[in-house]
């Protein structure tokens, strides 16, 4: 696929920032070292994905969950990441819930924006773009399973939550 | 700089592209995506720190420093 070359790399600027935050001020990083770290990071993602996917498949699921990722990291012997990551996940879930609540509040203050009957379930579709960095990936996948991931919301229990699942029938 | 733990500097869409390129991967839920990205961020930090510690020149991180620790540390074998 033509998209392979750069799309599997992470943005240089972000990598550099993360490195600089990790090392003392005034220390320089050679271009080759930076590149090596960037590639290592991509390989890490792939390796973690593969391990996570194995856990998902073992549980007969088609969706990789947070637990799969944490189990994978232990398996990969990166268990020192697991506890900090759990904290990060909690913070992330709170952020997501906060955003959802905010959207509901916004909706309530604009009753004319939607037809009166629904509970605002259409709004959940708007969440699709939230996590996107604007790279326009959503339209590219011919398989059509992309939107489900992006709109998955806060359900941490298992599979991807479908959009229609998040609101009650009127 | 104290990071907001619930946020990740790495772009989730890009991380997702990489994950999806892995064979046999079907879906990734939003939390798993976040964790993968955040774990990668930690990995980058860890890699940089450890390489620098092992380095002869504490003022400059070079390619060789990384090559060395990949050789020496078991958990980094996947990078060889």
């Amino acid at each position: 696929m033509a998209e392979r070359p750069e799309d599997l790399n992470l943005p240089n600027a972000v990598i550099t920032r993360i490195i600089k935050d990790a090392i003392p001020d005034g220390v320089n990083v050679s271009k080759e070292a930076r590149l090596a770290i960037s590639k290592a990071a991509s390989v890490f993602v792939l390796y973690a994905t593969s391990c996570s996917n194995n856990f998902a498949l073992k549980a007969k699921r088609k969706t990789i969950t947070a637990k799969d990722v944490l189990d994978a990291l232990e398996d990969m012997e990166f268990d020192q990441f697991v506890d900090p990551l759990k904290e990060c996940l909690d913070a992330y879930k709170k952020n997501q819930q906060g955003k959802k609540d905010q959207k509901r509040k916004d909706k309530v203050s604009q009753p004319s924006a939607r037809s009166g009957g629904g509970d605002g379930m259409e709004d959940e579709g708007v969440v699709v773009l939230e996590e996107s960095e604007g790279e326009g990936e959503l339209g590219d996948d011919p398989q059509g399973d992309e939107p489900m991931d992006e709109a998955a919301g806060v359900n941490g229990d298992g599979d991807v939550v479908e959009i229609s699942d998040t609101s009650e029938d009127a | 700089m104290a990071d907001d733990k619930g946020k990740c500097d790495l772009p989730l869409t890009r991380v997702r592209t990489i994950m999806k390129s892995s064979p046999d991967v079907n879906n990734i839920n939003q939390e798993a995506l976040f964790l993968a990205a955040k774990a990668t961020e930690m990995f980058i930090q860890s890699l940089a720190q450890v390489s620098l510690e092992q380095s002869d020149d504490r003022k400059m991180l070079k390619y060789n420093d990384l090559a060395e620790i990949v050789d020496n540390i078991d958990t980094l074998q996947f990078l060889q």
Side-chain angles (χ1 to χ4, degrees), chain A:
Chain A
M1 270 190 269
E3 67 183 347
R4 279 209 186 211
E6 326 100 69
D7 284 350
L8 298 193
N9 291 323
L10 296 158
N12 260 329
V14 178
I15 302 272
T16 304
R17 193 192 320 155
I18 298 173
I19 296 174
K20 293 253 151 131
D21 286 348
I23 58 183
D25 286 342
V27 175
N28 282 318
V29 182
S30 79
K31 199 170 68 167
E32 292 80 15
R34 208 177 0 127
L35 197 58
I37 293 179
S38 179
K39 291 191 174 174
S42 295
V43 173
F44 178 83
V45 172
L46 282 171
Y47 182 30
T49 301
S50 175
C51 286
S52 307
N53 199 37
N54 284 341
F55 280 101
L57 292 176
K58 248 195 301 189
K60 307 220 165 100
R61 275 182 280 105
K62 293 207 159 176
T63 302
I64 298 176
T65 63
K67 182 171 188 311
D68 295 329
V69 176
L70 293 171
D71 287 343
L73 290 169
E74 278 197 38
D75 216 37
M76 291 156 64
E77 297 186 34
F78 282 96
D79 19 6
Q80 71 271 25
F81 288 178
V82 172
D83 285 339
L85 280 176
K86 285 180 179 169
E87 286 184 28
C88 293
L89 185 59
D90 284 341
Y92 175 75
K93 288 203 240 192
K94 289 206 178 85
N95 285 346
Q96 295 305 100
Q97 191 57 48
K99 284 186 197 173
K100 275 194 155 189
D101 293 343
Q102 191 54 48
K103 278 204 180 316
R104 294 222 166 93
K105 283 191 207 156
D106 290 345
K107 224 215 69 68
V108 166
S109 61
Q110 300 172 39
S112 56
R114 297 273 177 220
S115 61
D119 221 16
M121 71 173 100
E122 299 97 309
D123 265 357
E124 297 310 312
V126 176
V127 177
V128 169
L129 293 179
E130 287 232 340
E131 297 308 314
S132 161
E133 302 301 299
E135 293 184 16
E137 182 200 46
L138 291 175
D140 293 345
D141 189 333
Q143 293 171 24
D145 60 348
E146 304 271 293
M148 284 171 61
D149 284 349
E150 298 301 320
V154 189
N155 184 349
D157 294 338
D159 288 356
V160 173
V161 174
E162 306 223 17
I163 295 174
S164 58
D165 203 29
T166 55
S167 66
E168 311 308 319
D169 288 325

